Amino acid sequence: GNYDIWLYDLRTDTERRITNASAQKNPAISGSLIVYEDSRNNGDIYLYDLSTNTERPIATSSAIEMSPAVSGDKIVWTNYYNGNYDIYLYDLNTNTERRLTTDLALQMDPVISGNLVAWTDYRNGNGDIYLYDLDTNTEAEISRESTDVQAFPVISNNKIAWSDYRNGNSDI
């Protein structure tokens, strides 16, 4: 068997299968939009729209795309291409894709809330949390601990939380 994406509606107390082709995993949801990793090719990002009951590919390059997140009309994911992990964005309003990170180090685990994108970034040798503001097209380092890892960010509105190992324990 393969992983599939399922949806449970709390209002109607019903469950339904969203996908049924090869293997899909790591879903994220915003409103009526579900994004997920799909392995029918080599690791792609797909979108399922609950309002139209339609599926469509978002990122299907020869690279491996993973870890999608969605907020409103914006989708972000990690893209592994040419031996490098970067963060990409797809805008559903303009149907355009763009690369948000260009540093040669590892960038992964993107999250998005409105026009703010956060991720784990290893450009300083250990994991730090970075933020990209889509309104101003600016990037900023949010956390930087000299010797330990900060990773796995989550974001909502103007607040970011993450796991932090600076005291020898994984803390939030």
Side-chain angles (χ1 to χ4, degrees):
N2 292 316
Y3 284 109
D4 287 309
I5 306 300
W6 287 76
L7 174 74
Y8 187 84
D9 189 321
L10 296 170
R11 286 181 299 153
T12 62
D13 195 31
T14 57
E15 177 182 86
R16 73 175 176 148
R17 178 182 280 180
I18 300 299
T19 63
N20 195 19
S22 75
Q24 295 81 32
K25 63 182 180 177
N26 295 334
I29 189 168
S30 177
S32 65
L33 304 178
I34 302 173
V35 294
Y36 48 90
E37 291 177 31
D38 190 295
S39 65
R40 70 184 82 173
N41 293 313
N42 63 329
D44 298 318
I45 304 300
Y46 274 71
L47 166 74
Y48 188 88
D49 188 333
L50 295 167
S51 66
T52 61
N53 291 317
T54 56
E55 176 189 68
R56 75 174 191 162
I58 295 298
T60 59
S61 71
S62 60
I64 296 172
E65 290 97 6
M66 63 188 119
S67 305
V70 60
S71 178
D73 59 0
K74 308 254 186 325
I75 301 166
V76 293
W77 67 92
T78 302
N79 185 299
Y80 181 71
Y81 185 71
N82 287 334
N84 192 30
Y85 289 90
D86 284 304
I87 307 302
Y88 278 71
L89 168 92
Y90 189 88
D91 187 322
L92 293 168
N93 282 333
T94 61
N95 290 315
T96 56
E97 174 185 306
R98 72 176 168 140
R99 183 175 166 185
L100 296 182
T101 61
T102 58
D103 192 89
L104 294 178
L106 170 71
Q107 290 92 35
M108 59 190 300
D109 302 323
V111 291
I112 184 167
S113 180
N115 284 329
L116 299 174
V117 180
W119 67 90
T120 305
D121 195 303
Y122 287 85
R123 72 182 72 183
N124 298 313
N126 60 327
D128 296 310
I129 305 302
Y130 273 70
L131 177 75
Y132 192 93
D133 186 327
L134 296 170
D135 288 332
T136 62
N137 291 314
T138 56
E139 179 183 277
E141 185 176 29
I142 299 301
S143 73
R144 184 170 185 188
E145 167 58 30
S146 62
T147 60
D148 295 312
V149 175
Q150 294 85 50
F152 312 114
V154 293
I155 187 170
S156 181
N157 296 318
N158 293 315
K159 304 222 179 349
I160 302 171
W162 63 87
S163 294
D164 196 303
Y165 203 74
R166 74 179 75 181
N167 297 318
N169 297 307
S170 185
D171 297 318
I172 296 190

